Amino acid sequence: MTRNDLILIAVLVILSLTPLAVTSHAKTIAVVKVDGSVVREINLSSDETFTVEAVNGFNVVEVRGGKISVVAADCPEKVCVRRGAINQSGEVIACVPHKLLIEIAGD
């Protein structure tokens, strides 16, 4: 191996690790809407629990470990609670009776 071969290998290794460094610093944001209006935008790197009030009920939303979920609601079927936690871009949690929509967006 020549010196130029070692330089080429080093450059290729650095370039192959660049996407990993870029994605590890990206923020994942959840957008919480009620009846089509944005109520909150939350960075999923935080840990918090809050209540979203709707005209006909409430949903308790929890952000923990880089994921967001509805942990309690007073809607009849509780589909939003059973949906579980989400964290991937494009995933959604919906509570139709309360007109709640939580969507994961990129940074």
Side-chain angles (χ1 to χ4, degrees):
M1 278 194 179
T2 67
R3 182 173 183 257
N4 289 338
D5 291 337
L6 292 176
I7 292 173
L8 179 62
I9 291 170
V11 168
L12 290 174
V13 167
I14 290 170
L15 288 175
S16 69
L17 296 176
T18 301
L20 180 62
V22 170
T23 57
S24 67
H25 296 296
K27 295 178 187 174
T28 304
I29 303 293
V31 180
V32 180
K33 297 178 183 178
V34 175
D35 200 15
S37 299
V38 175
V39 176
R40 281 183 89 165
E41 291 185 0
I42 305 155
N43 186 337
L44 294 186
S45 64
S46 65
D47 286 346
E48 64 179 291
T49 302
F50 59 93
T51 301
V52 178
E53 298 285 341
V55 174
N56 55 351
F58 70 90
N59 298 81
V60 179
V61 179
E62 180 179 75
V63 180
R64 192 160 320 283
K67 297 181 179 187
I68 188 167
S69 61
V70 176
V71 294
D74 64 346
C75 54
E77 300 294 324
K78 298 192 181 2
V79 173
C80 53
V81 176
R82 291 191 317 235
R83 170 67 170 97
I86 60 173
N87 67 345
Q88 299 296 314
S89 183
E91 287 186 306
V92 296
I93 298 173
C95 181
V96 176
H98 298 161
K99 299 180 182 178
L100 171 76
L101 182 71
I102 302 172
E103 183 176 12
I104 304 295
D107 54 347

